[in-house]
Structure formats: structure tokens, C-alpha cells
Amino acid sequence: MRAVVYRRTGPSSVLEVVERDVPEPGIGEVRVRLVRAGVNPTDWKFRAGMMSGYDEVTPGMDGAGVVDAVGPDVVGFAEEDRVWVFLAQHGRPHGTAAEHVVLPATQVVHLPVGASYDVGAALGVPAVTAHRALTSGEDVDRLAPGALEGRTVLVAGGAGAVGNAAIQLARWAGATVLTTVSSDEKGALAVAAGAHQTINYTVGDPVAEIRKLAPEGVDLVVEVAPAQNNDLDRAVTRVRGTIAVYANNGGDEFSIPVRETFSKNLRYQFVLLYTLGEDLLRAAAEDVTAALEDGAFAVGEDAGLPLHHLPLEETAAAHDAVEQGTIGKVLLDIAEE
């Protein structure tokens, strides 16, 4: 099989396409013939600085394809099942930038009838992160129609992949969704994803604008840039609200004024998929798949997430595109559908 690998960390030029033996699934594992793979910031960040003790790494956390081999003791999967996969390269050296990947069956999910491989490969890191952020408040631990009814969610960076997923999932669950953006172009994408209102944080007073839309404060914030936005988040979140932080865009540290924060009984929930635990990962996979089945989750320009397709041989260019902040979702085309 063709696979993309790197043997040392560094710029995208360390990536190369090689031929490797097709791996065989072991006990409890499934082999997937990949059609699409998603590219996430994690991929280039790992490649730039973290080898995790392996001599050779194939990057890629997310993908979609067809089951073509099932290991012993696997229940619920058969050859030719259409599936999406997540966290493929976490805790192992070989991810989804390859023609085949072997994974524990717990990280393989059936792709609903009618759902494309494009949307399947775009789930994983963004959608599972968004799910955890949206279920990190006091009383909502699963998403379904009506689960967030009566609540207002503020999504920071609504044109990003996680922001897009958070908007779609929150809207499916019945929330009123506000989002901050930095341009009219990004605002249009957030509206296409389902946001009820957008706030351009580069002009005027975004706190005042959000307060006009949510006089009692928002129930939950999905935050990508806490170092830049913590003052805003604290000002617009209601008493006993939640600020869910899933990235460190714009700075690695921020301070929390104690009295102003505890006086509102605010909850901070930090979100990193790699330490979530199997229970939360499984809940997210089930709920995201339910949203797909309901037709409530999509990708592409019409869903606020433009797609950028590159062949497997151009994985380096795909990494560069994500690192440079390309708007939308970068996908690797690995095989014909």
C-alpha cells in the first residue's frame, strides 16, 4: 500500500510517500481501506515537533472508507461496511495518510446511508471536540434534538472546523447559536452552518453586541482563543455558565480574575480529545452519527465549510494549507469511491 511517513520532525518536507505492507488486524481490530482522510492542525503540529518514540510515523487522525478485514473478537462490523474513523494516529505510529489503516473497533463508526466519505473524513477531531465542548455544562451530557432547547451558545471562530461543527451540532440540539467572526466572509460561512447571529469582533463593541442578543448572558461558550477572549467570555457568560476551551490560538497563557469569576459561579472546561476517555469518545461518536442520520450535519460551501481536495501524494501541501489557516476543510483523496 501507499503511505505517507516521516522519520524525523520538521517542516512538511520531511513527509514522503512510500510503499508498505498492508497491515493485518489483530484481536478487537478492524482494517479500513481509506477513501478520504481529514487533515487537522494536530497533524502538522505533531509532525513539526513530536515523534512520540516511533521510528516512523504516518500522520492522520481522521478518515472514512470501507472495512476490508475484521480481526478476532470484533462484533458489529463486516467487510464492505462504510465507516468513519477517529484518533487513528493517537497512541500508535500509523494514521490515515495511507491506503489502509488498522484500528481498534472502538474507533470505527458506521457511516450512515447517504453520508459521503467527504463528511465522514471531516468528522473526527472537529466534531468530537465540538460535542465535548457542548456537553461540558452542568446538565447536558448528550446531544439530541431538544437537548439544548432554551439555551444560548456562543461559538468563538465560527468559520473554523470545530466552530462549524459546534454550530451545526448546537443548532441540531435546539440551541440559539451566536458566533464571533473576523470578517463578513467568515460571517457568511457561519450563517451557512446555522448560526442565528454573527458578531464581527474586529469592529465596535462585541460585548455590547452579544449582550443585546443575550441580555441574561450566554449559557455556554465554545472557545478557541482563551488568551485573547477570556475577558469577553467572562463578561457575556451568565451566572453558572460554562466556558469550554479547546485550543490555545493567540497565546498559551491567560489569567483569571478570581472574584469576578467566582462571583458568577463560572465553570471552565478544558477539552483535549486524547485524554477524554472511551466513554466520552463513544458518546460523541454516537451523537454525531445521529446528527448525520438526521441530515443535520454536512460539509461544503453550503454548510459553511468549503472543501479543499488534495491527492495523497500532496500531503505536505495539505499540511501547509492547514498550518497557514486555510478556511474550510482540507481532505486527502486516497481512493475512488
Side-chain angles (χ1 to χ4, degrees):
M1 70 172 187
R2 292 177 303 147
V4 174
V5 303
Y6 59 93
R7 301 181 185 87
R8 59 183 176 85
T9 59
S12 61
S13 59
V14 302
L15 297 168
E16 60 179 305
V17 181
V18 299
E19 288 288 336
R20 291 290 179 264
D21 293 337
V22 175
E24 293 297 329
I27 296 173
E29 293 182 330
V30 171
R31 188 176 71 207
V32 177
R33 176 179 59 81
L34 291 160
V35 176
R36 296 282 186 276
V39 183
N40 296 294
T42 291
D43 299 331
W44 73 258
K45 291 177 181 178
F46 280 9
R47 183 216 73 227
M50 291 181 282
M51 282 292 288
S52 302
Y54 302 117
D55 293 332
E56 181 177 276
V57 171
T58 294
M61 294 292 176
D62 301 335
V66 178
V67 173
D68 73 346
V70 177
D73 298 337
V74 170
V75 177
F77 291 99
E79 292 183 20
E80 302 304 318
D81 283 353
R82 300 171 69 252
V83 295
W84 62 278
V85 306
F86 61 91
L87 293 185
Q89 200 256 301
H90 175 54
R92 60 185 60 84
H94 301 299
T96 55
E99 291 183 316
H100 292 82
V101 67
V102 167
L103 290 170
T106 53
Q107 290 167 237
V108 181
V109 189
H110 288 284
L111 192 61
V113 174
S116 68
Y117 292 116
D118 284 356
V119 73
L123 299 174
V125 169
V128 175
T129 297
H131 181 279
R132 175 54 182 157
L134 292 169
T135 57
S136 61
E138 286 190 337
D139 55 359
V140 175
D141 58 6
R142 296 295 296 262
L143 296 183
L148 293 174
E149 194 72 39
R151 293 172 174 82
T152 300
V153 173
L154 173 65
V155 177
V162 175
N164 175 277
I167 291 170
Q168 294 196 65
L169 291 173
R171 185 69 186 259
W172 172 63
T176 296
V177 185
L178 315 178
T179 184
T180 53
V181 293
S182 60
S183 68
D184 291 342
E185 175 192 9
K186 291 181 177 180
L189 292 174
V191 170
H196 292 88
Q197 297 285 344
T198 65
I199 300 95
N200 187 334
Y201 63 82
T202 68
V203 298
D205 182 349
V207 170
E209 291 299 314
I210 294 168
R211 277 295 187 177
K212 286 180 185 177
L213 298 168
E216 302 301 317
V218 303
D219 297 274
L220 185 143
V221 179
V222 180
E223 184 55 74
V224 65
Q228 296 174 328
N229 296 336
N230 188 51
D231 288 345
L232 179 149
D233 294 341
R234 195 176 61 256
V236 303
T237 304
R238 67 163 173 84
V239 171
R240 291 177 61 182
T242 298
I243 301 169
V245 176
Y246 69 87
N248 61 341
N249 291 8
D252 290 334
E253 298 181 0
F254 68 101
S255 60
I256 299 175
V258 175
R259 182 168 293 279
E260 291 179 31
T261 304
F262 76 55
S263 66
K264 296 180 76 172
N265 275 274
L266 293 183
R267 173 197 299 256
Y268 283 81
Q269 175 64 59
F270 292 87
V271 178
L272 183 68
L273 299 193
Y274 312 117
T275 51
L276 271 190
E278 190 172 319
D279 57 338
L280 293 177
L281 291 172
R282 180 51 46 183
E286 290 175 357
D287 293 353
V288 169
T289 300
L292 279 176
E293 291 171 341
D294 280 355
F297 198 106
V299 295
E301 190 90 27
D302 291 344
L305 194 70
L307 298 179
H308 309 277
H309 290 266
L310 291 167
L312 182 64
E313 290 79 6
E314 295 182 24
T315 298
H319 277 217
D320 291 342
V322 174
E323 184 174 1
Q324 292 160 10
T326 295
I327 296 173
K329 185 67 183 179
V330 177
L331 299 175
L332 297 176
D333 293 340
I334 299 175
E336 296 293 329
E337 296 188 20

